[in-house]
C-alpha cells in the first residue's frame, strides 16, 4: 500500500457531476455504470484539498492575479517531468483547453480557412472547426498491426491542395492512447512549416504516460517547431481538477502569442479563477508523488482490462494505450451498426461509455472506456459487458 488511497470511493451523485449525477436522465438506464467523460473517480492530491479549504475559509474572493510562484511551479514541472524548457513570457491562460482551441482558431485564421484534425480524435476539435466556420480537413490516423500512426502522405496531399492554416494535434492522442515519438512529431512539424500551417498541440494528457514510453512536447522537438506551435496543457486531467476551469497555454512565438492575447483581451477573456490558480500551483508543487502512485494504479487497471479482454472476450480487440487513461475498444466483431452498438452497451450491458462514432466516422464500431476508476468498478464494468455479450450470443 502506498501513501495514497486510490481505492477510496467517494459518492459523487450529489456533486452535479456530469459523470455520476445524471445517469438516468442521460441514458434512460438508472443503474448504468459511467466510464465515459474524462474525469477520474479519485480524490485529488491532499495538499490541494487543504489549500482550497484554507482559502475558502477566508471569506473574500475578489479579483486575483497569477503569482510568480505559480509560473515558477509550472515551469519547474514541465522541465522536470517533460524536459520542456518554457519561459514565463510564453505562458498565457484560458479557462480550459477547449476554450484555448477556439481562441487560437479565431485569432490565427479566418472564416473558410482550413483546419486539419486527425480522427478518430477528441470530438470537440471537429466542432470547434465547424462552429467557427472554418473548413474541416480530415487526415485520419492509420491503424497498422494494432497501433495507430499518422498518415504523412495523406497530410501532404491536404497541405498541397492549399487553404489549410492550422492543424490540431492531440498528443498524447485521445481516444487511441498513442504517445507520439520525437521522429513522428518532427515529420508532422516539418510538413506543417513547409506549407505554412501552425500547429495547436493539445497536450492535456501528457502527464499520463505508461512504462516504456516517453512524452515529447511538440515544441521541444526543435526551435522551428517551437516557433510554429501553440501548446495547451492543464492540471485538470492530471490532478482531477476539471471543474476548476484552469489551463496553461504556451506560445513561444512572440507574434503568435500577441495575436492570441489580443484576441482574448478584446473579448474580456482575461480573468482568473482564484481556486483554479491556487489548485494548479499547489498541484505542481506537491503533486508529483501522488501522480507517480496514480500512474502505477492506472497501469494496473490498463493491464487488468487488456488481459480481461484477451482471456474472456478475445473476439473484442483492444488497442494497448501508451498514455492517457482511456481504452479504445473495437466492437466491430459483434456486427452491430452504430445505433445497435450504443443501445447494446447502454441497455444490455448497462455501461455508459463514449461511443466511438463521436470521435469521427473512423470510430464507428468502437467505444472508449475510461480506466480512471477504482479497480472494482472496472471489474464490474467488464463483467457486465461479458455477461451481456454471452447473453446476446
Ligand atoms: C484531448 C482533450 N483536450 C481537452 C479536453 C478538455 O479540456 P478543458 O476541460 O480544459 O477544456 C479534454 C477532456 O476530455 C481532452 O481529452
Amino acid at each position: 500500500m502506498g501513501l495514497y488511497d486510490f481505492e477510496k470511493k467517494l459518492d459523487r451523485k450529489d456533486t452535479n457531476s456530469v459523470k455520476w449525477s445524471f445517469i438516468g436522465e442521460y441514458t434512460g438506464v438508472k443503474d448504468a455504470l459511467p466510464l465515459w467523460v474524462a474525469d477520474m473517480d479519485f480524490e485529488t492530491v491532499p495538499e490541494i484539498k487543504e489549500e482550497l479549504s484554507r482559502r475558502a475559509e477566508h471569506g473574500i474572493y475578489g479579483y486575483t492575479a497569477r503569482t510568480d510562484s505559480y509560473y515558477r511551479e509550472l515551469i519547474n514541472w514541465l522541465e522536470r517531468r517533460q524536459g520542456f524548457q518554457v519561459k514565463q513570457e510564453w505562458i498565457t491562460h484560458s479557462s480550459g483547453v477547449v476554450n484555448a482551441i477556439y481562441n487560437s482558431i479565431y485569432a490565427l485564421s479566418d472564416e473558410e480557412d482550413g483546419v486539419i484534425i486527425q480522427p478518430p480524435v477528441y470530438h470537440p476539435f471537429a466542432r470547434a472547426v465547424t462552429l467557427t466556420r472554418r473548413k474541416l480537413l480530415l487526415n485520419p490516423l492509420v491503424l497498422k498491426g494494432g497501433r495507430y500512426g499518422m498518415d504523412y502522405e495523406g497530410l501532404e496531399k491536404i497541405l498541397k491542395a492549399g487553404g489549410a492554416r492550422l492543424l490540431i494535434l492531440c498528443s498524447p492522442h485521445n481516444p487511441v492512447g498513442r504517445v507520439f515519438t520525437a521522429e513522428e512529431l518532427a515529420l508532422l512539424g516539418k510538413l506543417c512549416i513547409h506549407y505554412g500551417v501552425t500547429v495547436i498541440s493539445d497536450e492535456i494528457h501528457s502527464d499520463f504516460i505508461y512504462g516504456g514510453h516517453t512524452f515529447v512536447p511538440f515544441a521541444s522537438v526543435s526551435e522551428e517547431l517551437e516557433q510554429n506551435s501553440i501548446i495547451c496543457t492543464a492540471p485538470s486531467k492530471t490532478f482531477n481538477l476539471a471543474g476548476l476551469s484552469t489551463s496553461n497555454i504556451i506560445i513561444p512565438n512572440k507574434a503568435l502569442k500577441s495575436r492570441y492575447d489580443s484576441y482574448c483581451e478584446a473579448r474580456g477573456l482575461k480573468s482568473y479563477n482564484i481556486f483554479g490558480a491556487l489548485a494548479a500551483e499547489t498541484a505542481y508543487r506537491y503533486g508529483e508523488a501522488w501522480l507517480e502512485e496514480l500512474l502505477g494504479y492506472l497501469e494496473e487497471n490498463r493491464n487488468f482490462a487488456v488481459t480481461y479482454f484477451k482471456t474472456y472476450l478475445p473476439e473484442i480487440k483492444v488497442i494497448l494505450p501508451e498514455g492517457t487513461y482511456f481504452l479504445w475498444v473495437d466492437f466491430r466483431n459483434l456486427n452491430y451498426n452504430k445505433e445497435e452498438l450504443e443501445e447494446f452497451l447502454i441497455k444490455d450491458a448497462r455501461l455508459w461509455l463514449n461511443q466511438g462514432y463521436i470521435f469521427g466516422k473512423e470510430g464507428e464500431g468502437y467505444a472508449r472506456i475510461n480506466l480512471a476508476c477504482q479497480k472494482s468498478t472496472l471489474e464490474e464494468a467488464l463483467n457486465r459487458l461479458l455477461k451481456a455479450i454471452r447473453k446476446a450470443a
Side-chain angles (χ1 to χ4, degrees):
M1 173 97 174
L3 278 176
Y4 305 101
D5 185 8
F6 296 107
E7 293 291 346
K8 179 173 167 188
K9 279 192 188 185
L10 290 176
D11 189 342
R12 302 183 63 188
K13 284 199 188 70
D14 293 330
T15 63
N16 293 337
S17 155
V18 296
K19 195 177 186 183
W20 284 95
S21 304
F22 311 98
I23 297 173
E25 288 96 312
Y26 282 148
T27 66
V29 178
K30 266 209 289 245
D31 68 343
L33 203 51
L35 288 86
W36 66 290
V37 64
D39 79 13
M40 307 194 282
D41 291 334
F42 308 120
E43 194 173 51
T44 191
V45 180
E47 286 86 349
I48 296 178
K49 218 172 121 178
E50 282 160 26
E51 276 297 300
L52 293 182
S53 308
R54 190 186 57 75
R55 185 65 185 85
E57 261 309 301
H58 183 270
I60 296 178
Y61 315 113
Y63 293 116
T64 50
R66 290 266 155 118
T67 57
D68 282 347
S69 55
Y70 158 78
Y71 288 107
R72 208 170 41 241
E73 293 303 336
L74 169 62
I75 288 168
N76 286 343
W77 178 267
L78 293 172
E79 161 100 60
R80 219 169 50 235
R81 300 287 307 176
Q82 306 182 358
F84 185 18
Q85 289 176 343
V86 171
K87 299 198 173 107
Q88 183 165 327
E89 62 268 26
W90 298 351
I91 304 169
T92 184
H93 316 286
S94 151
S95 61
V97 165
V98 170
N99 174 248
I101 289 171
Y102 277 86
N103 296 341
S104 305
I105 293 175
Y106 278 124
L108 305 177
S109 67
D110 299 305
E111 280 192 20
E112 297 306 318
D113 280 343
V115 182
I116 304 168
I117 66 167
Q118 307 190 95
V121 72
Y122 181 54
H123 47 294
F125 289 4
R127 213 172 137 70
V129 177
T130 51
L131 286 181
T132 55
R133 299 202 188 84
R134 273 56 174 172
K135 200 188 287 166
L136 185 63
L137 301 173
L138 302 174
N139 182 48
L141 296 181
V142 280
L143 182 57
K144 261 194 218 143
R147 192 170 187 236
Y148 282 91
M150 294 191 275
D151 178 0
Y152 303 101
E153 277 177 25
L155 178 61
E156 186 149 27
K157 236 190 215 169
I158 293 172
L159 292 167
K160 255 193 189 147
R165 291 280 291 278
L166 297 167
L167 178 144
I168 313 174
L169 174 70
C170 196
S171 175
H173 193 102
N174 170 13
V176 309
R178 265 309 311 282
V179 175
F180 297 116
T181 62
E183 291 71 29
E184 290 176 294
L185 297 172
L187 217 52
L188 176 98
K190 269 196 184 146
L191 277 171
C192 287
I193 288 171
H194 185 74
Y195 290 95
V197 165
T198 301
V199 175
I200 303 168
S201 186
D202 178 343
E203 304 187 355
I204 199 167
H205 295 286
S206 57
D207 288 312
F208 297 102
I209 307 296
Y210 297 117
H213 300 278
T214 305
F215 174 70
V216 181
F218 183 79
S220 73
V221 173
S222 71
E223 203 179 323
E224 267 185 305
L225 268 58
E226 171 198 286
Q227 289 300 312
N228 190 44
S229 55
I230 295 192
I231 309 297
C232 305
T233 74
S236 50
K237 300 289 159 206
T238 312
F239 301 102
N240 215 14
L241 308 171
L244 292 174
S245 296
T246 298
S247 62
N248 321 301
I249 311 305
I250 299 165
I251 313 178
N253 180 308
K254 239 183 174 170
L256 292 180
K257 180 161 183 292
S258 154
R259 282 164 68 184
Y260 179 97
D261 283 339
S262 305
Y263 174 85
C264 293
E265 188 93 53
R267 277 148 193 90
L269 297 172
K270 290 299 268 183
S271 63
Y272 306 130
N273 177 300
I274 303 175
F275 292 101
L278 180 63
E281 179 177 336
T282 311
Y284 294 131
R285 181 176 296 134
Y286 296 114
E288 196 159 9
W290 181 92
L291 174 64
E292 279 299 322
E293 225 175 283
L294 170 70
L295 286 172
Y297 192 92
L298 290 174
E299 194 155 337
E300 279 176 27
N301 273 6
R302 177 195 71 160
N303 296 344
F304 172 76
V306 169
T307 306
Y308 190 102
F309 277 103
K310 271 196 186 134
T311 312
Y312 302 109
L313 287 165
E315 68 273 36
I316 309 295
K317 304 286 174 227
V318 298
I319 302 292
L320 184 71
E322 301 167 350
T324 77
Y325 49 72
F326 305 125
L327 189 67
W328 185 236
V329 184
D330 180 355
F331 288 100
R332 287 175 302 172
N333 279 340
L334 295 183
N335 291 318
Y336 290 133
N337 66 31
K338 70 177 191 190
E339 291 82 16
E340 289 165 346
L341 178 61
E342 182 160 15
E343 179 149 330
F344 169 78
L345 290 171
I346 293 176
K347 297 226 169 98
D348 298 350
R350 289 180 294 123
L351 290 178
W352 190 8
L353 310 179
N354 280 101
Q355 303 299 319
Y357 66 80
I358 67 168
F359 301 95
K361 88 173 169 29
E362 297 73 12
E364 283 180 20
Y366 289 76
R368 188 191 78 177
I369 297 180
N370 179 343
L371 299 168
C373 56
Q374 279 70 40
K375 282 195 184 78
S376 55
T377 306
L378 181 60
E379 190 168 6
E380 164 72 16
L382 296 175
N383 286 340
R384 285 186 187 195
L385 187 62
L386 176 64
K387 215 166 145 189
I389 290 176
R390 290 289 168 263
K391 199 169 162 202

